[in-house]
Amino acid sequence: METRRNNSAIETVIKESRVFSPPATFVEKANINDPAKYQTIWEDSQKNPVHFWESQAELIDWSKKWTQAFQWNEPFPKWFLEGKLNVAQNCLDRHLEKKKNKIAYIWEGEDGVVKKLTFQELYEEVCQLSNALESKLGLKAGDSASIYMPLIPEAIIAMLACARIGVAHSIVFAGFSSHSLRDRIQDADCKIVFTSDVGYRRGQVLELNKTVREAVSDCKTVKNVLVFKRNRHTDLQSNELDWREFVNDQPKTHKAQPFDSEHPLFYLYTSGTTGKPKGIVHSSGGYLVGVATTAKWIFDLKETDIFWCTADIGWITGHSYVVYGLLANGITSVIYEGAPMHPHAGRIWEIIDKHNVTTLYTAPTAIRAFMRAGDQHVEKYSLKSLRLLGSVGEPINPEAWMWYYQMIGKAKCPIVDTWWQTETGSILISPIPGITPLKPGSATKPFPGIVADIVNEEGKSLGPNEGGYLVIRHPWPSMLRTIHKNPERYKESYWSKFKGLYFTGDGAHKDENGYFWIKGRVDDVINVSGHRLGTMEIESALVSHPRVAEAAVVGRPDELKGQGIVAFVTPRDSGETLDVKSLAQELKNHVANEIGSLARPDEIKFTKTLPKTRSGKIMRRLLKDLAAGKEISGDTTTLENPSLVELIEN
Ligand code: PRX
């Protein structure tokens, strides 16, 4: 498979210069604040990453201690071999002795209703559900379960109950369509789906169980659907179980059985360069060591923290830094169901003041939207509880970084710009907030134990300010283990471009201080508001419409969302009668129905033909330039159709 190159992402780049030392008031209290000591740890970890990770494995409870830290059957890693642990026990039971009355989650609904759950309460709910799943449905290690839920505590309870009984969960973001849900359920052979009758967002009611019904009608493996009823009058069908009734007669304790370190904790589907999303498989031991360590070091965790990661649990950020990494450290988190700007543009700041949030971890798209909404929405709130800010999911532009730093952090909170992926499981490149001088727009340096590099097309290390491909030179504990049911695709996607190096799919450069600047994807994946979408996935959705002959989808720069989606479509009926506007609308809705509204194209351009090379490949570089409104650049001599792209407009 050819990886198409995004030239702009791998060009030689200009130096960026502004540097912000970590604020003194923060450094004073930071857990890690001795630069010389940290530098030694970091340098040692670059020479011997396995040794670093061995020392961090102490952070978690092993029911049976591992005997060997790492084994590499290239490209398949194993970490903490022969070790046994229970991930849910690490997140809950082991905290009960000291902090059973500590709040684990503060949940807030869009309408302002608040529900708090202590570690003890969360433990009891997880135990009841685990008991019911085992005794009533016979679920056991090796099975898998799909979770299609809004961001409510029950979604996390479902994750932890699965983890507790060794069932791999596959969470599907509740904005995905029934088709997407069905495909993911089928691929993972899920036996059960957890859902709720409805979710709420932007004042709208989302009929989640309706989507689940459409999806499971085509899924032979699904025996039951467990529905958390938020509206007591919701009717259930024969294969649907009422969550409260299902658990209420169950014991509030449950003896957790230990599982092998390599036991799959979850599958998470993400977009790749082909039409079909890939089921990323994550382990138990290595994953937990990775997320617990990075959460502790990068977020400078303190017992008194109120941590708010705004991601939904449908994404990897939610898995690692709403749930596993934070709970493993026994930290209180805020979760919010709803849109951060609803019902007013200051909602997020209101919640921070209301719950005294200390750490906010969000995406650049959100920061840009808050910035655009205007400072008056921020000024109403003190934000005095904040001590640390984080960014994730896409490159943060320096303007948004400065606004976040000054307007939200009042120049006293460091910003950790964290680079990572669904596949990496935990953060790989990030500042350490009490140590690393910050440069707006740079994720700074690799985390200890992560050996990152920039290489050229031949896999050769590049020097300062030379643009190339971001690769990881040594396996790390929380990395994906494979692609579910598709080890060949795993090899092909990550290990075939450069021998022995993990290929991230991102273009980047390092500056003269060894800081990494991530530019974005160099493959056919686009990043819309921090969400990853495969262009071919959207193309497949478009060509499934009867009026579409051919389609090519590209990303174009978008001030707010990072990238927007532009589709070039050749209609089957391109005659005089074609109503371009109404067909465009119909196709946008079609994509939203097929994949989910997050994949809805921003613009559809109709063309008589698509520009192709003589060998029949669509010239995406040219379409990208066209979509971005640029002059057509570069070599077009291999074009089959010299008239380039003839747009149909009316
Ligand atoms: O292109 C990079 C971008 O998001 C991609 C991974 O997407 P996903 O698997 O959905 O995970 C997102 C949340 C971890 C990466 O290949 N990306 C992620 N974080 C950053 C980033 N790009 C620049 N800076 C970041 N901090």
Side-chain angles (χ1 to χ4, degrees):
M1 193 203 326
E2 181 208 32
T3 305
R4 293 184 201 117
R5 287 165 58 179
N6 172 352
N7 292 325
S8 65
I10 57 167
E11 282 161 6
T12 301
V13 279
I14 323 145
K15 296 180 201 165
E16 289 86 354
S17 56
R18 268 195 97 169
V19 181
F20 292 79
S21 301
T25 47
F26 184 91
V27 174
E28 213 178 288
K29 295 187 186 146
N31 300 337
I32 305 173
N33 59 5
D34 180 339
K37 207 165 144 194
Y38 177 75
Q39 188 60 21
T40 310
I41 297 175
W42 190 83
E43 279 169 15
D44 288 350
S45 83
Q46 297 296 296
K47 286 183 220 132
N48 191 346
V50 175
H51 184 250
F52 172 78
W53 290 112
E54 279 175 349
S55 67
Q56 297 311 303
E58 308 281 314
L59 257 182
I60 65 175
D61 271 7
W62 297 91
S63 309
K64 177 174 173 280
K65 171 107 200 258
W66 44 275
T67 53
Q68 182 187 340
F70 173 60
Q71 191 184 70
W72 189 220
N73 178 13
E74 193 174 338
F76 297 97
K78 281 188 180 167
W79 283 88
F80 309 119
L81 287 83
E82 289 175 50
K84 286 194 189 298
L85 77 162
N86 185 290
V87 171
Q89 184 272 333
N90 267 279
C91 291
L92 298 170
D93 314 27
R94 68 172 174 147
H95 303 311
L96 295 183
E97 197 186 321
K98 289 202 182 121
K99 37 183 141 172
K100 66 177 183 171
N101 294 323
K102 180 171 175 169
I103 305 290
Y105 288 105
I106 304 170
W107 172 82
E108 176 146 347
E110 215 172 43
D111 59 1
V113 172
V114 173
K115 186 176 166 188
K116 296 184 183 179
L117 273 173
T118 63
F119 275 92
Q120 177 71 30
E121 287 163 340
L122 184 61
Y123 165 79
E124 289 178 3
E125 300 234 20
V126 169
C127 288
Q128 284 193 301
L129 182 56
S130 305
N131 283 319
L133 293 171
E134 283 180 335
S135 66
K136 297 186 181 179
L137 302 183
L139 286 180
K140 55 181 187 322
D143 290 337
S144 49
S146 176
I147 302 178
Y148 187 78
M149 294 191 71
L151 190 46
I152 54 177
E154 286 68 23
I156 296 173
I157 292 165
M159 292 169 81
L160 293 167
C162 287
R164 194 167 186 97
I165 62 172
V167 167
H169 57 69
S170 161
I171 309 186
V172 180
F173 172 62
F176 277 113
S177 68
S178 61
H179 292 165
S180 299
L181 175 61
R182 177 201 59 199
D183 292 350
R184 285 157 173 77
I185 293 174
Q186 287 178 345
D187 191 74
D189 298 318
C190 296
K191 289 202 169 154
I192 182 170
V193 182
F194 297 88
T195 190
S196 72
D197 47 356
V198 292
Y200 302 101
R201 196 174 166 86
R202 285 202 186 87
Q204 309 256 304
V205 178
L206 312 171
E207 304 271 355
L208 302 184
N209 193 25
K210 196 166 157 251
T211 308
V212 171
R213 279 179 188 169
E214 282 166 23
V216 301
S217 64
D218 259 345
C219 299
K220 289 196 192 75
T221 53
V222 175
K223 302 283 177 262
N224 299 100
V225 176
L226 189 61
V227 185
F228 185 75
K229 286 191 348 188
R230 308 180 77 186
N231 174 352
R232 293 198 178 258
H233 304 295
T234 299
D235 287 326
L236 298 182
Q237 295 181 349
S238 59
N239 66 335
E240 295 167 353
L241 302 163
D242 180 317
W243 189 306
R244 288 187 190 81
E245 287 172 14
F246 183 64
V247 300
N248 71 6
D249 56 351
Q250 295 295 309
K252 292 186 175 168
T253 57
H254 172 271
K255 184 141 177 34
Q257 193 195 325
F259 297 106
D260 191 86
S261 207
E262 287 297 319
H263 186 75
L265 178 63
F266 63 86
Y267 309 134
L268 183 55
Y269 286 82
T270 189
S271 298
T273 51
T274 68
K276 196 173 173 288
K278 27 191 189 185
I280 303 300
V281 180
H282 277 292
S283 69
S284 296
Y287 173 78
L288 198 65
V289 169
V291 295
T293 309
T294 48
K296 185 173 172 206
W297 291 47
I298 295 168
F299 298 115
D300 185 51
L301 295 179
K302 307 252 191 288
E303 259 315 309
T304 47
D305 272 339
I306 311 283
F307 189 88
W308 188 14
C309 164
T310 63
D312 188 272
I313 50 146
W315 311 113
I316 190 68
T317 309
H319 284 64
S320 302
Y321 302 106
V322 173
V323 184
Y324 293 114
L326 275 288
L327 287 180
N329 282 286
I331 298 296
T332 305
S333 284
V334 168
I335 49 174
Y336 172 60
E337 180 192 10
M341 292 191 35
H342 190 88
H344 60 83
R347 186 73 172 107
I348 185 168
W349 318 123
E350 181 183 49
I351 295 175
I352 289 172
D353 271 7
K354 182 168 170 185
H355 300 298
N356 293 311
V357 170
T358 57
T359 313
L360 177 68
Y361 188 35
T362 194
T365 291
I367 299 165
R368 288 189 289 263
F370 302 135
M371 186 173 157
R372 186 179 282 191
D375 295 353
Q376 70 276 19
H377 299 288
V378 183
E379 281 157 358
K380 287 187 202 148
Y381 305 98
S382 81
L383 304 182
K384 64 177 192 298
S385 54
L386 285 174
R387 64 179 195 90
L388 179 61
L389 302 173
S391 172
V392 57
E394 35 173 342
I396 181 164
N397 48 313
E399 301 72 34
W401 193 101
M402 287 306 304
W403 184 84
Y404 198 29
Y405 187 72
Q406 280 163 343
M407 195 65 201
I408 307 307
K410 319 288 182 204
K412 68 177 173 56
C413 308
I415 296 178
V416 286
D417 174 359
T418 60
W419 176 89
W420 57 299
Q421 311 178 299
T422 305
E423 293 87 340
T424 69
S426 62
I427 299 167
L428 298 198
I429 304 180
S430 165
I432 299 295
I435 300 280
T436 318
L438 305 172
K439 299 189 190 188
S442 169
T444 76
K445 297 211 177 180
F447 191 74
I450 300 301
V451 189
D453 200 4
I454 311 288
V455 299
N456 66 9
E457 198 62 36
E458 285 72 49
K460 193 174 151 289
S461 244
L462 290 174
N465 298 314
E466 291 182 310
Y469 300 103
L470 175 63
V471 296
I472 312 296
R473 291 196 168 273
H474 192 282
W476 63 103
S478 67
M479 65 187 281
L480 77 167
R481 295 302 191 255
T482 186
I483 291 175
H484 188 52
K485 290 185 182 161
N486 206 341
E488 282 309 313
R489 192 174 176 193
Y490 165 76
K491 285 190 199 164
E492 174 63 40
S493 305
Y494 309 106
W495 302 98
S496 68
K497 189 165 174 67
F498 304 112
K499 177 136 187 38
L501 306 182
Y502 170 84
F503 175 53
T504 62
D506 277 345
H509 74 277
K510 262 195 287 188
D511 67 16
E512 56 287 343
N513 304 118
Y515 276 47
F516 284 72
W517 298 79
I518 320 289
K519 295 291 169 208
R521 305 289 307 192
V522 290
D523 53 11
D524 294 322
V525 170
I526 52 180
N527 191 327
V528 181
S529 305
H531 298 147
R532 197 165 140 175
L533 290 163
T535 51
M536 290 196 199
E537 229 175 308
I538 307 174
E539 288 164 8
S540 310
L542 282 165
V543 297
S544 72
H545 190 282
R547 290 180 69 189
V548 174
E550 249 191 327
V553 168
V554 294
R556 74 158 169 226
D558 183 291
E559 264 191 25
L560 200 61
K561 300 192 288 185
Q563 280 188 297
I565 306 171
V566 180
F568 290 84
V569 167
T570 312
R572 287 193 187 279
D573 46 347
S574 57
E576 297 286 297
T577 53
L578 180 74
D579 177 352
V580 167
K581 265 203 189 116
S582 80
L583 184 56
Q585 197 51 42
E586 190 177 321
L587 294 182
K588 287 181 189 179
N589 292 342
H590 178 70
V591 173
N593 283 336
E594 286 290 309
I595 304 177
S597 48
L598 69 169
R600 182 189 292 272
D602 294 280
E603 190 179 350
I604 298 201
K605 290 179 184 284
F606 293 100
T607 69
K608 289 195 175 151
T609 50
L610 289 174
K612 290 190 187 141
T613 61
R614 291 204 184 97
S615 61
K617 279 191 191 131
I618 294 173
M619 295 197 74
R620 272 160 209 277
R621 180 180 49 75
L622 193 141
L623 292 178
K624 263 186 209 162
D625 286 351
L626 263 181
K630 281 195 213 158
E631 288 287 307
I632 303 303
S633 60
D635 179 18
T636 55
T637 50
T638 52
L639 259 186
E640 175 67 25
N641 172 0
S643 64
L644 298 178
V645 186
E646 218 181 311
L647 296 177
I648 310 169
E649 288 159 333
N650 63 23

